[in-house]
């Protein structure tokens, strides 16, 4: 977003990324590349390793093996705050928000790092407007409904102004209207920022996706255009079939 | 756990009350009463350090007495050697702060879990207790100051007008110094919490993972909070030593470490006024119990703590505050909207 980087250098590149927990191999030698401004959907059955992969990308987990590069810079094993400063924001699967602070303060803390107070305020107000939280800025986040808490978290990620946004099940716990609004918001965000979105809701995936990566048992099963992925028999077997059943 | 909606109005009210006490007390109570209140104030400064790092920074230091005691001893040793109290007062703040910074560096950058931070700090104060306790005899002197082991250090010179060692403070001067220091510390901590640095500190208490995912290095923030807490506790220790012209290793002891936790819990975790009032109230209670023989002070203290933890777990100030909020019309009670505004 900031620098015109030559196409040759991907925004994000994982090579042989592996995460072991004792005997469990949650992520197994994953090679993954994301271009600047790309929107990618990541799907896969429960326990496929999607959230673990996100944690490796954001420094919450140090990979057991392999490499992670951001615009060519090796960030394997770097601290979460270091990776965040390199322009990566994440909405985690289990919401990470400041329950005891107001909606406004949640977003303000996110907007305020290394910015003047005035621009932090401006970003906060714009983001609250964009995510349609202006009506509840004074409410304590701990008292909000699950869907609203999800949006507060999305707002903090946006206020951080990252170049790459990871969303782990952003539509979970949302009403149908909220899901539609979230899909719309994701497409809108993608005009300026790259995203990787993990979701189980296939209707939602169809609304936003072009390229889909399918995880299964820690490995990439398929990576293709959404239509071909949905038609793929192997994918149906491990994932879609189960959901239909 | 929400921070008490003390916007700038509440803050001004507290400062005003502080000044009324500062100038009013010597007018209305006896000299004995003023001296009595001075030690309450020393304890209140101590309680502020605990309440700040625990209630806002989320750092569970169970051995804050290490810095309180260190402040007391650093003052005593340096004032005996230097004569003029000006630099000793500054050292009584700086040395505990530096010690806290060192200890905090190992704890926070070493990824020690929250529970172990409690264990480590408690261990440190017990170690200090044992070390200082065994410093009897001529061997353990620093310059002209004999540490005195378990007997402690008597006849510690009082504060004096800066630059004039002969113009020593009397009890009333010491009161003004102590109460003035308490007000200053309160203003300082309020200011820190109102700043953007302070908002991040509170955010770390709420969710450290989120803060890090936003690009803040939480370790640096915790280290700074812990260091400030160490300096404030040291100042409290300096006042305490001045109050009795005496300091002994019991200041590092378990009772001292536990007492300050009780001040904070009773007054209200996550507030600044709470720990101050907790210290005043409990110290007053202890002084009343001390004048009679039927009840044991520790027993009463224990009972008070248990009663509070079970019946008023948020502590006094938050409960009273929300009570006032319910009685007053909404617009005076500080709605969430105003909180966000005041702190934004
Ligand atoms: N900290 C951990 N310790 C041990 N095992 C873990 C840990 N975290 C994840 N796992 C295991 O790793 C595997 C992948 O989990 P992960 O949460 O990444 O799956 P997921 O694809 O996000 O699933 P879901 O769709 O249910 O969110 C699972 O078998 C899980 O039990
Ligand atoms: Mg998951």
């Amino acid at each position: 977003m900031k620098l015109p980087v030559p196409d040759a250098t991907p925004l994000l590149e994982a090579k042989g990324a592996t995460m072991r927990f004792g005997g469990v191999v949650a992520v197994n030698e994953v090679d993954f590349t994301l271009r600047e401004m790309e929107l990618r959907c990541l799907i896969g059955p429960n326990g496929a390793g999607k959230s673990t992969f996100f944690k490796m990308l954001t420094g919450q987990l140090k990979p057991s093996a392999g490499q992670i590069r951001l615009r060519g810079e090796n960030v394997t094993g770097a601290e979460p705050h270091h990776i965040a400063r390199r322009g990566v924001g994440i909405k985690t699967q289990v919401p990470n928000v400041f329950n005891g602070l107001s909606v406004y303060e949640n977003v303000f803390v996110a907007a305020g790092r290394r910015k003047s107070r005035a621009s932090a305020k401006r970003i906060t107000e714009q983001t609250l407007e964009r995510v349609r939280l202006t009506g509840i800025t004074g409410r304590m986040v701990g008292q909000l409904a699950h869907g609203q808490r999800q949006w507060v978290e999305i707002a903090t990620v946006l206020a951080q102004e990252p170049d790459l946004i990871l969303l782990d099940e952003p539509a979970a716990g949302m009403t149908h209207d909220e899901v539609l609004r979230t899909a719309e918001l994701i497409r809108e965000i993608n005009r300026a920022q790259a995203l990787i979105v993990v979701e189980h809701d296939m209707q939602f995936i169809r609304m936003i996706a072009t390229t889909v990566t399918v995880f299964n048992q820690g490995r990439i099963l398929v990576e293709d255009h959404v239509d071909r992925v949905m038609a793929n028999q192997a994918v149906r077997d491990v994932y879609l079939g189960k959901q239909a059943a | 756990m929400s921070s008490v909606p003390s916007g700038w109005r509440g803050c001004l009210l507290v400062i005003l009350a502080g000044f009324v006490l500062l100038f009013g007390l010597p007018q209305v109570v006896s000299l004995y009463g003023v001296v009595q209140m001075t030690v309450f104030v020393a304890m209140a400064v101590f309680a502020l350090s605990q309440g700040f790092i625990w209630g806002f920074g989320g750092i569970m230091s169970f051995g804050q007495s290490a810095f309180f005691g260190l402040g007391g001893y650093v003052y005593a040793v340096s004032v005996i050697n230097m004569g003029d109290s000006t630099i000793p007062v500054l050292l009584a703040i700086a040395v505990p702060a530096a010690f806290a910074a060192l200890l905090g560096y190992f704890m926070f950058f070493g990824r020690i879990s929250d529970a172990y931070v409690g264990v480590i700090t408690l261990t440190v104060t017990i170690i200090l207790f044992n070390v200082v306790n065994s410093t009897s005899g001529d061997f353990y002197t620093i310059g002209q100051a004999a540490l005195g082991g378990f007997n402690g250090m008597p006849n510690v010179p009082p504060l004096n007008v800066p630059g004039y060692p002969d113009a020593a403070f009397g009890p009333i001067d010491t009161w003004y110094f102590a109460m003035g220091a308490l007000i200053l510390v309160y203003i300082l901590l309020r200011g820190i919490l109102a700043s953007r640095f302070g908002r991040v500190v509170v955010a770390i208490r709420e969710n450290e993972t989120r803060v890090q995912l936003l690009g803040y290095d939480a370790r640096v923030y915790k280290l700074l909070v812990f260091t400030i807490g160490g300096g404030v506790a040291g100042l409290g220790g300096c006042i305490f030593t001045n109050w009795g012209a005496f300091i002994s290793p019991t200041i590092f002891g378990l009772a001292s470490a536990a007492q300050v936790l009780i001040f904070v819990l009773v007054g209200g975790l996550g507030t600044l006024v709470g720990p101050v009032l907790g210290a005043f109230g409990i110290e007053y209670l202890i002084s009343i119990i001390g004048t009679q023989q039927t009840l044991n002070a520790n027993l009463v203290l224990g009972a008070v703590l248990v009663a509070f933890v079970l019946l008023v777990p948020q502590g006094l100030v938050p409960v009273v505050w929300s009570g006032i909020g319910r009685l007053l019309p909404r617009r005076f009670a500080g709605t969430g909207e105003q909180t966000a505004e005041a702190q934004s």
Side-chain angles (χ1 to χ4, degrees):
Chain A
M1 192 185 162
K2 286 171 200 133
L3 297 169
V5 181
D7 281 343
T9 317
L11 173 58
L12 169 73
E13 195 177 17
K15 270 194 187 145
T18 302
M19 191 73 226
R20 293 187 205 94
F21 298 108
V24 181
V25 189
V27 174
N28 199 347
E29 296 188 11
V30 164
D31 294 326
F32 184 94
T33 308
L34 190 80
R35 284 175 286 110
E36 297 279 343
M37 301 275 283
E38 188 177 346
L39 165 60
R40 182 76 60 91
C41 286
L42 189 59
I43 65 171
N46 293 115
K50 307 178 296 292
S51 298
T52 305
F53 185 54
F54 270 13
K55 284 183 184 161
M56 294 161 77
L57 296 181
T58 50
Q60 296 177 78
L61 287 172
K62 316 266 173 258
S64 316
Q67 254 197 16
I68 291 156
R69 289 178 174 277
L70 281 171
R71 286 184 176 143
E73 186 195 347
N74 188 354
V75 295
T76 320
E79 293 290 331
H81 70 265
H82 178 86
I83 293 177
R85 288 177 193 180
R86 290 294 173 282
V88 180
I90 178 169
K91 191 213 85 68
T92 51
Q93 184 171 356
V94 179
N96 270 305
V97 288
F98 309 123
N99 281 328
L101 301 184
S102 69
V103 171
Y104 187 97
E105 287 176 302
N106 266 263
V107 181
F108 186 76
V109 168
R113 202 183 70 78
R114 293 184 64 91
K115 298 203 181 73
S116 71
R117 192 178 265 265
S119 56
K121 269 187 105 153
R122 184 177 44 76
I123 293 168
T124 303
E125 274 148 28
Q126 282 171 356
T127 309
L128 287 168
E129 189 125 340
R130 189 173 178 194
V131 188
R132 300 191 185 164
L133 289 169
T134 35
I136 55 166
T137 55
R139 295 272 301 280
M140 286 290 147
V141 170
Q143 294 164 357
L144 298 179
H146 186 70
Q148 283 178 315
R149 281 156 54 85
Q150 297 265 58
W151 268 345
V152 170
E153 197 176 13
I154 291 172
T156 61
V157 175
L158 289 177
Q160 189 186 345
E161 302 192 317
D163 301 331
L164 169 60
I165 296 178
L166 312 179
L167 300 177
D168 200 342
E169 306 199 9
M174 285 188 176
T175 64
H176 184 67
D177 285 348
E178 285 173 333
V179 171
L180 291 181
R181 168 72 190 130
T182 305
E184 191 186 313
L185 185 65
I186 287 173
R187 284 195 301 262
E188 189 188 306
I189 292 168
N190 189 227
R191 282 189 222 132
Q193 287 146 303
L195 295 107
I196 308 177
V197 182
V198 167
E199 233 337 302
H200 283 292
D201 183 337
M202 286 306 145
Q203 243 120 42
F204 182 79
I205 295 290
R206 280 196 179 281
M207 281 189 263
I208 59 170
T210 17
T211 312
V212 176
T213 301
V214 185
F215 265 42
N216 188 39
Q217 296 184 349
R219 292 177 182 276
I220 293 181
L221 182 69
V222 195
E223 189 169 284
D224 209 339
H225 188 273
V226 59
D227 295 334
R228 283 189 290 275
V229 165
M230 296 289 181
N232 186 302
Q233 194 53 48
V235 174
R236 284 172 171 272
D237 286 348
V238 302
Y239 191 50
L240 304 174
K242 264 185 219 159
Q243 206 180 44
Chain B
M1 189 160 69
S2 74
S3 40
V4 168
S6 43
W8 58 272
R9 255 173 293 177
C11 177
L12 281 184
L13 205 70
V14 171
I15 295 169
L16 191 71
F19 275 105
V20 169
L21 193 63
L22 171 74
F23 294 110
L25 191 82
Q27 316 299 324
V28 294
V29 305
S30 65
L31 188 62
Y32 176 81
V34 173
V35 172
Q36 185 96 333
M37 272 301 281
T38 306
V39 72
F40 293 5
V41 168
M43 289 304 176
V45 173
F46 185 21
L48 267 183
S49 93
Q50 181 83 56
F52 177 64
I53 65 163
W54 189 18
F56 292 93
I59 300 167
M60 285 202 288
S61 166
F62 291 156
Q64 202 62 8
S65 48
F67 311 112
F68 184 60
L70 208 56
Y73 268 98
V74 166
Y75 173 78
V77 169
S78 52
V79 79
I80 288 171
N81 282 295
M82 293 181 183
D84 186 337
S85 69
T86 315
I87 290 171
V89 170
L90 297 177
L91 286 177
I93 299 168
V95 173
F99 182 58
L102 189 72
L103 186 62
Y105 178 79
F106 286 112
M107 292 194 303
F108 304 131
F109 282 78
R111 294 247 170 274
I112 303 282
S113 76
D114 286 353
Y116 276 97
V117 168
V119 174
I120 289 171
T121 47
L122 187 61
T123 310
V124 164
T125 200
I126 292 171
I127 289 173
L128 282 174
F129 172 78
N130 285 315
V131 167
V132 179
N133 212 23
S134 56
T135 55
S136 331
D138 295 339
F139 181 71
Y140 297 101
T141 50
I142 301 174
Q144 301 160 38
L147 292 179
F150 54 84
N151 289 321
M153 304 174 67
N155 304 323
V156 178
L159 295 163
N160 56 257
V161 179
Y164 302 88
D166 293 333
F169 279 16
I172 300 286
D173 305 317
T174 306
W175 159 257
Y176 285 129
F177 173 81
M179 192 61 206
L182 177 62
I183 295 171
L184 268 180
V185 167
Y186 175 81
I187 293 172
L188 173 81
L189 297 183
R190 261 276 150 261
I192 289 173
L193 289 173
S195 73
R196 282 204 276 163
F197 171 84
R199 297 327 296 162
V200 177
V201 167
V202 173
I204 292 171
R205 177 195 75 190
E206 291 294 318
N207 190 333
E208 186 166 344
T209 304
R210 174 43 73 200
V211 169
Q212 280 174 318
L213 292 175
L214 291 175
Y216 296 96
D217 190 347
R219 301 169 300 182
V220 173
Y221 285 78
K222 287 166 103 172
L223 181 60
L224 282 169
V225 167
F226 195 61
T227 303
I228 293 166
V232 170
L235 175 62
C238 169
I239 298 169
F240 180 80
T241 305
N242 262 286
W243 164 72
F246 171 74
I247 184 159
S248 81
T250 41
I251 196 169
F252 292 115
L254 273 180
S256 172
Q259 207 175 25
V260 72
L261 296 174
I262 300 176
F263 295 157
V264 173
L265 283 177
V266 167
L269 194 62
T271 72
L272 288 181
V273 200
V276 172
L277 295 182
F280 282 3
I282 301 268
E283 284 290 313
Y284 179 65
L285 200 66
I286 292 174
S287 72
I288 291 178
I289 300 165
T291 58
Q292 50 84 55
Q293 259 76 50
T294 14
L295 280 170
N296 177 293
N298 283 330
L299 203 67
V300 174
L301 213 57
V304 167
L305 178 66
V306 171
F308 263 88
V309 168
L310 293 178
L311 303 175
V312 205
Q314 313 100 297
L316 222 69
V317 168
V319 169
V320 171
W321 199 260
S322 67
I324 293 173
R326 249 176 267 129
L327 290 177
L328 291 176
R330 281 216 91 163
R331 68 202 161 92
F332 291 122
T335 60
E337 212 83 49
Q338 285 170 331
T339 317
E341 238 170 59
Q343 289 164 345
S344 65

